[in-house]
Amino acid sequence: MEGASPDAAAPGVPQEAGVGEGQSAGPDLREELQKAKHDYSMATGTISSLQRQLEFQESQLRRIKSEKEMLQKKLREQENQLQAMATKICNLRDEWKHDEMMMATEEENGRLRQVVREQESKLAEQNQLLSELQETISQLRAEALSSRRRIREQQQAQEEIQSQVQTLQHRELQTRVTLERITSRFERYRSKIIQATFSVAGSKPPQAEVTDEEVLEAMQKIINEWTELHQLLKQKGIKVPSLHSIDTLTSSPASTKGRRKSPMSTQ
């Protein structure tokens, strides 16, 4: 060690028994002793140097450990800061994503609300159109029922008219037959009346056409004469035929106005 004297005896080296013994030992021992001292001094210096180096190294190690601890502490702090920043960034990212998602959701909701409003408007228009169509259909059905009723009524009226027409046609046919029969009878009676009127003694045959009025006057004259004769004969108690045929002839409707040619005038 550094405090030891250079003259101290090295371990394992025998001390000199005396000056006499040293002188008698010879120069070899003295040389070995010097060499041992030298080696001891060298070893002691080396140990001291190594101790100093060791202390320096330990000091460096402590400093390095301290720096390492400080660095580790700073590293942990930085890691904590980084973790906090990462967490904050994640939170911010999550919040941003959430905000972005909320904005997207709001936009989608707005778009959907717009679509719903448009659909509701279209639905209202379709409902209005459907109501108008239903009202139109109801009106058309009512008109169709009314038209069918009118058609049935017209058909019934037409059938009644056709029945009346057929009845009138039948009556007209009967009336024509009756009229033709009456006209034929009237013509026969007219001819007989003319013949009877103008065949009386002292009468002159007509020179022109004999009108119906003249025939009726002549017939009325003959009827009056026959009536007077009939009354006279009845008064005398003589049975005579009835004058019903003459009364029927005079009471029949006269459609003989106008002028007709006398059958004798054609002779």
Side-chain angles (χ1 to χ4, degrees), residues 96-109:
W96 179 77
K97 287 182 178 179
H98 179 71
D99 294 340
E100 186 178 11
M101 186 180 297
M102 291 298 295
M103 291 177 63
T105 304
E106 288 295 330
E107 291 178 357
E108 184 67 17
N109 290 335

Side-chain angles (χ1 to χ4, degrees), residues 218-233:
M219 184 179 64
Q220 189 65 38
K221 183 178 179 182
I222 292 172
I223 290 171
N224 292 333
E225 290 177 354
W226 275 96
T227 302
E228 291 176 359
L229 179 61
H230 186 271
Q231 292 294 332
L232 181 61
L233 292 175

Side-chain angles (χ1 to χ4, degrees), residues 11 37 45 73 93 98 103 116 135 177 213 217 253 259:
K37 289 181 178 180
K73 184 178 180 180
R93 186 181 294 111
H98 179 71
M103 291 177 63
V116 169
E135 184 178 358
V177 172
E213 286 79 2
E217 289 177 0
R259 301 180 63 86

Side-chain angles (χ1 to χ4, degrees), residues 190 194-195 198 206 208-211 215 260-267:
R190 187 173 183 276
I194 293 172
Q195 290 178 359
F198 294 100
E209 294 181 355
V210 180
T211 63
V215 172
R260 297 179 182 272
K261 290 184 178 180
S262 173
M264 297 184 63
S265 64
T266 56
Q267 293 178 355

